[in-house]
Amino acid sequence: MDAAMLKYVLVGGGVAGGYAAREFVKLGVDPGELAIFSKEAVAPYERPALSKAYLFPESPARLPGFHTCVGSGGERQAPEWYADNGIDLHLNSEIAKADTKSKTITTAAGKTFEYGSLLIATGSTFINLADFKTPGADAGGIHYLREVNDADNLVREMKDIKGGEAVVVGGGYIGVELAACLALNSIRVTMVFPDPHFMPRLFTPEIASFYEGYYKGKGINIIKGTSVTAFEKDDQGNVTKVILGDGRSLSTNLVVVGIGAKPRLGPFKGQLEEEKGGFKVDASFRTSAQDVYAVGDVATFPMKMYGDRRRVEHVDHARKSAIQAVQAIKAGEKGETVDEYDYLPFFYSRSFDLSWQFYGDNTGESVIWGLDQAGASGSKFGAYWVNDGKVVGAFLEGGSPDENKLLARVARERPSVGSKQELLSAGLDFATKI
Ligand code: FDA
Ligand code: NAD
């Protein structure tokens, strides 16, 4: 039997999937031309909400409130939006097989489709402690967080153990954001991670010490420099104890693990060139196969500003790469090209009353200003990274939207700076003068 032919196929209904769909609609698709296949049961949504407002004890965020593209001030694309725009949104539809030579994809239920252009937006999945054969890693009450059903399980269990104890494994983005959410739900939290401080890929020890101090002030216990070697469970198979590498053991009712993510290459693995764990793409997100594009977490792309190639696991890039790829597909049909992707890295996080943003590259020497006043009401602190006499990265805690825009400008323009002292005494004023 011949496979049904679809002009455009999007595999993955996450952040990049939602923004790609919007761009297709903006540039024009006829009913039936675009199909989206998503393993999840819900239409594309803004994933960052899952480790923040979704877990709040009061007035939590819930779908349909945070479908894409509300996270960047755009329209909320509820399921009806897809139907109204003639897009076939196949939910609960994992793509299990693909053949980039015959240009076909096959769902787990066995339905095969032929595509004209394919956009892979399958994102990442969490690294599981079971991958390291950690004894007891299959116990009940051990949670990971990637998708809305994971968040629902966690919400249910947080309610059940209110007033109980939790161990958070990992001191990266998930660890730091989840520890705060658990504490807000009146759960006593201990964080455990092997690194010397929070967020070592971005934070300097000085920046981390501010956040760690704040967390301790909220009653969160932080154990650094060791990790989990085993879990103990009760007769029902639920976790009761976390055993650490330094010999300590922690009683617990619940565990949340955030020890990193890995790109989900799925059925495309082995058919496309790979680099740095993702699919190697050009500045228009074209992979090594004809008419196949990859965007978001799964793409390793040329970082024009820094002359290297990177994979980025953050929402801003997921949105922008999706838009770029769709524009490239549509331009190609007219024999035109698009400008090269010229991405400025942008990362952020929020927890408790804290909120930071970072733009650019954290390479070279760091200069931290305002730290002595950090935490005082209305005060801000920040950091610049100086490489080869130029400011290449900027960080700000507690910035207003206008102040955060200044950071982006500094990181984009990479101004020269005379001395470290100049940055230290100017603080945020340095950014206002660019
Ligand atoms: P994303 O993971 O969003 O979507 C992939 C989709 O593809 C999923 O729906 C998945 O089920 C589906 N899929 C996978 N394989 C499939 C297959 N074979 N067939 C069909 N469907 C398939 N970033 C940031 O900058 N700020 C933040 O605050 C946060 N917060 C945050 C919280 C949490 C809990 C997570 C897990 C992540 C973040 N991030 C973040 C990271 C950010 O959300 C992430 O970089 C983007 O969601 C990546 O977008 P993608 O579309 O690439 O993948
Ligand atoms: P991460 O890479 O940010 O942090 C992983 C942490 O786990 C690191 O601190 C690491 O040292 C630690 N770790 C590694 N192995 C460990 C072990 N065996 N035991 C204990 N700790 C260990 O990854 P994450 O926090 O799991 O986040 C997962 C994904 O979600 C990433 O793609 C991240 O970018 C994304 N995310 C982003 C945000 C944001 O941008 N605000 C928020 C949440 C999630």
Side-chain angles (χ1 to χ4, degrees):
M1 198 177 67
D2 282 343
M5 171 68 192
L6 296 166
K7 188 169 182 186
Y8 308 112
V9 165
L10 225 163
V11 179
V15 173
Y19 281 75
R22 183 180 69 173
E23 197 63 16
F24 270 119
V25 168
K26 196 169 145 196
L27 299 181
V29 277
D30 289 334
E33 280 188 341
L34 171 61
I36 303 177
F37 294 86
S38 180
K39 198 176 69 59
E40 288 190 79
V42 293
Y45 58 89
E46 303 282 3
R47 196 164 306 283
L50 297 184
S51 55
K52 303 175 189 66
Y54 203 88
L55 304 178
F56 287 176
E58 306 293 336
S59 314
R62 286 291 179 268
L63 290 171
F66 60 100
H67 281 298
T68 57
C69 301
V70 292
S72 57
E75 187 183 347
R76 188 167 59 91
Q77 298 164 194
E80 310 78 74
W81 178 91
Y82 294 86
D84 292 348
N85 284 289
I87 298 169
D88 294 323
L89 180 60
H90 300 265
L91 299 175
N92 295 306
S93 290
E94 179 168 0
I95 297 301
K97 280 194 232 157
D99 183 347
T100 57
K101 291 209 170 59
S102 61
K103 298 180 78 175
T104 55
I105 50 155
T106 304
T107 63
K111 264 189 132 178
T112 297
F113 299 86
E114 204 179 327
Y115 60 79
S117 295
L118 171 70
L119 223 160
I120 303 170
T122 43
S124 299
T125 186
F126 47 77
I127 296 174
N128 195 316
L129 279 170
D131 298 346
F132 308 112
K133 308 214 173 346
T134 308
D138 61 342
I142 302 181
H143 294 259
Y144 295 80
L145 180 60
R146 184 76 209 178
E147 299 185 344
V148 76
N149 55 327
D150 303 322
D152 286 336
N153 290 336
L154 186 55
V155 167
R156 215 170 298 125
E157 203 158 323
M158 284 195 305
K159 287 206 176 106
D160 286 351
I161 67 147
K162 201 159 184 169
E165 290 178 297
V167 173
V168 172
V169 184
Y173 285 98
I174 290 279
V176 172
E177 292 181 7
L178 266 288
C181 290
L182 289 159
L184 289 172
N185 280 277
S186 309
I187 293 167
R188 290 192 302 285
V189 182
T190 299
M191 296 178 74
V192 182
F193 50 87
D195 317 287
H197 58 75
F198 275 9
M199 303 272 304
R201 281 190 296 152
L202 177 64
F203 287 3
T204 66
E206 298 85 352
I207 295 176
S209 75
F210 166 74
Y211 292 97
E212 288 174 15
Y214 190 99
Y215 271 51
K216 284 179 195 157
K218 294 283 183 187
I220 294 173
N221 182 25
I222 301 173
I223 302 178
K224 306 189 247 186
T226 188
S227 192
V228 175
T229 53
F231 297 98
E232 285 181 10
K233 37 190 173 178
D234 61 16
D235 293 346
Q236 280 79 50
N238 292 320
V239 68
T240 52
K241 251 187 200 157
V242 180
I243 315 296
L244 305 186
D246 65 5
R248 276 186 271 187
S249 73
L250 307 166
S251 296
T252 195
N253 309 104
L254 179 152
V255 174
V256 176
V257 184
I259 57 166
K262 53 186 176 194
R264 204 179 331 222
L265 307 187
F268 306 102
K269 182 157 181 66
Q271 303 191 48
L272 304 172
E273 230 176 284
E274 289 174 28
E275 189 183 3
K276 295 183 177 170
F279 294 127
K280 183 177 179 185
V281 295
D282 68 10
S284 292
F285 293 92
R286 276 188 212 92
T287 68
S288 55
Q290 179 84 30
D291 300 320
V292 180
Y293 295 71
V295 295
D297 280 14
V298 88
T300 303
F301 62 96
M303 184 75 84
K304 190 177 175 195
M305 278 192 71
Y306 308 124
D308 56 13
R309 301 178 56 84
R310 297 184 190 183
R311 208 171 55 71
V312 171
E313 293 174 356
H314 291 275
V315 73
D316 179 58
H317 160 70
R319 295 169 179 157
K320 288 178 175 158
S321 59
I323 293 168
Q324 171 82 358
V326 175
Q327 288 181 351
I329 291 170
K330 294 299 259 181
E333 290 169 359
K334 293 187 270 173
E336 295 169 2
T337 54
V338 289
D339 289 342
E340 279 175 79
Y341 190 60
D342 186 8
Y343 187 61
L344 173 70
F346 166 47
F347 314 140
Y348 70 89
S349 183
R350 289 191 298 272
S351 57
F352 295 118
D353 293 330
L354 304 170
S355 169
W356 60 259
Q357 297 207 354
F358 168 82
Y359 289 86
D361 216 16
N362 60 326
T363 53
E365 198 185 354
S366 56
V367 178
I368 296 141
W369 56 267
L371 204 52
D372 50 338
Q373 288 299 311
S377 163
S379 71
K380 298 180 202 308
F381 82 95
Y384 297 106
W385 278 261
V386 183
N387 203 343
D388 248 350
K390 290 182 187 317
V391 180
V392 295
F395 175 97
L396 182 61
E397 166 58 44
S400 66
D402 283 344
E403 288 166 339
N404 288 328
K405 276 190 202 142
L406 297 175
L407 300 195
R409 206 165 72 199
V410 168
R412 172 63 77 183
E413 296 196 6
R414 287 177 282 178
S416 295
V417 62
S419 69
K420 190 174 159 177
Q421 194 52 45
E422 183 189 334
L423 284 175
L424 258 180
S425 39
L428 191 57
D429 280 349
F430 176 82
T432 57
K433 295 198 179 105
I434 301 305

